[in-house]
Amino acid sequence: MRLLIDKKNGPIVIHITGKHESSQTEALCDAVTACTTSDFTMYEVMVEDWDSMLTPWPASGIFGGRDFQGNAREQLSAIETTILEELGENNISQRPIYIAGYSLAGLFSLWAMCESNIFDGAVSASGSLWYPNWCQYIGEQNFASAKKVYLSLGDKEPKTKNQVMSTVGISTQKTYDILCDNSMVSRSTFEWNEGGHFTNPMERIAKGIAWIIDN
């Protein structure tokens, strides 16, 4: 876990990222800072194998030979341990901690919020909520404490020819509706952006992080 910004006060954001995004870290920090005047601290968690470590259960046959191993539990345990070691119990209890990610990292962020008491909310920007059985899973969640959730999606993302991925619009809307009906979700929003999955990813995740910090 790498410290990106430390303003000492305000929420703590754990940004889940991959090697393919590492060159854009500084741009993300600048974009979030430009979107909010609030104090916050942000850490980066680099994940090397997205298909394995960010998927909550195994799934295959979606992209031909590309399989998802479903080892998110292992990744989450490592993050929880690192957070406890880095921040200590006092910071965890005194400052809200949010988890944020894009694409599969967005899926993982929502799932991690459901599975861990450490996180007070999640940002899922263009999250892979087409993932098989996701809506059933999120519909079964009962949170022990109040949560905040930011969802976003590009308006062209549901227009893909892949039959599974084309459900992302319906699945994201259903996720939002489920969260709105959950009494333990204190704030939530679902924002549509222009473009496809790879349109302005840093801008999208920055908007989500700024929203959850300010709300």
Side-chain angles (χ1 to χ4, degrees), residues 57 110-111 113-114 129 133-143 149 171 174-176 178-179 182:
W57 47 80
L110 282 180
W111 174 85
M113 179 195 74
C114 295
L129 306 191
N133 301 318
W134 168 257
C135 287
Q136 177 182 343
Y137 168 83
I138 194 69
E140 295 171 348
Q141 300 311 301
N142 295 306
F143 304 120
V149 181
S171 296
K174 187 172 182 179
T175 297
Y176 176 63
I178 289 170
L179 293 171
N182 192 314

Side-chain angles (χ1 to χ4, degrees), residues 2 25 28 42 58 61-62 76 85 87 95-96 103 110 115-116 126 129 135 147 150 153 189 207:
R2 182 165 71 100
T25 297
L28 173 61
M42 186 159 64
I62 298 171
L76 176 57
E85 291 175 349
L87 303 178
R95 302 173 67 184
S103 193
L110 282 180
E115 295 291 322
S116 175
S126 287
L129 306 191
C135 287
K147 308 292 183 182
Y150 175 93
L153 200 63
T189 191
K207 284 195 296 182

Side-chain angles (χ1 to χ4, degrees), residues 77-169:
S77 295
I79 292 172
E80 287 177 318
T81 299
T82 304
I83 288 174
L84 287 168
E85 291 175 349
E86 183 76 22
L87 303 178
E89 293 286 353
N90 288 334
N91 267 326
I92 287 177
S93 62
Q94 294 176 4
R95 302 173 67 184
I97 300 178
Y98 304 120
I99 185 168
Y102 195 90
S103 193
L104 275 177
L107 171 75
F108 174 83
S109 295
L110 282 180
W111 174 85
M113 179 195 74
C114 295
E115 295 291 322
S116 175
N117 292 327
I118 286 179
F119 302 112
D120 299 284
V123 173
S124 178
S126 287
S128 301
L129 306 191
W130 48 261
Y131 202 76
N133 301 318
W134 168 257
C135 287
Q136 177 182 343
Y137 168 83
I138 194 69
E140 295 171 348
Q141 300 311 301
N142 295 306
F143 304 120
S145 59
K147 308 292 183 182
K148 292 196 294 186
V149 181
Y150 175 93
L151 305 174
S152 73
L153 200 63
D155 56 12
K156 293 183 179 179
E157 293 191 64
K159 298 178 181 179
T160 176
K161 294 180 180 179
N162 184 288
Q163 291 185 350
V164 177
M165 292 187 67
S166 67
T167 65
V168 69

Side-chain angles (χ1 to χ4, degrees), residues 13-24:
V13 178
I14 310 298
H15 179 230
I16 309 300
T17 187
K19 284 186 175 181
H20 60 289
E21 297 174 323
S22 60
S23 63
Q24 301 176 2

